[in-house]
Amino acid sequence: MIEGTTKSGFRFSISENVSDNMELIDAMADTMSDDGTRVVAGLSATLNILLGKNKKSLYDHLREKDGRVPVAKIEAEITEMFAAIKNSKNS
């Protein structure tokens, strides 16, 4: 398992073989448009694959006082998680 804590304090645990999953690649591809700019369509699917039922914990962790979960904060957390996955592969 790859375990870590993001800068915001969210603790996560991700299977070491998560990156060897074509459905994750598909979900990540859905976060990019044809011109390479980011879109949010694949974020939910990506989080489902990475965190499963713990996705709600991340949402609750990042939830604003008005109840929203900002997309930019989700993107930052995913970026940190993928950095942890990459670092574990390089170890």
Side-chain angles (χ1 to χ4, degrees), residues 2 9-10 15 29 32 38 50 55 64 74-76 89:
I2 300 166
F10 180 71
S15 172
M32 300 298 287
R38 295 191 62 73
L50 286 177
K55 178 175 86 169
E64 298 286 327
I74 292 292
E75 289 177 324
K89 299 280 184 202

Side-chain angles (χ1 to χ4, degrees), residues 12-79:
F12 62 91
S13 180
I14 300 171
S15 172
E16 289 180 13
N17 61 358
V18 71
S19 60
D20 186 25
N21 182 342
M22 194 60 206
E23 290 179 321
L24 176 62
I25 302 302
D26 289 342
M28 291 169 53
D30 288 342
T31 66
M32 300 298 287
S33 68
D34 290 339
D35 65 359
T37 57
R38 295 191 62 73
V39 293
V40 297
L43 285 179
S44 184
T46 299
L47 285 172
N48 285 336
I49 294 167
L50 286 177
L51 299 177
K53 294 178 183 178
N54 289 328
K55 178 175 86 169
K56 183 176 180 341
S57 296
L58 175 62
Y59 285 7
D60 291 342
H61 175 76
L62 297 175
R63 193 171 308 282
E64 298 286 327
K65 290 180 183 178
D66 66 2
R68 293 176 307 107
V69 180
V71 173
K73 287 185 177 182
I74 292 292
E75 289 177 324
E77 300 292 300
I78 289 176
T79 299

Side-chain angles (χ1 to χ4, degrees), residues 4-10 12 61 76-77 80:
T5 304
T6 63
K7 291 176 188 171
S8 74
F10 180 71
F12 62 91
H61 175 76
E77 300 292 300
E80 289 186 49

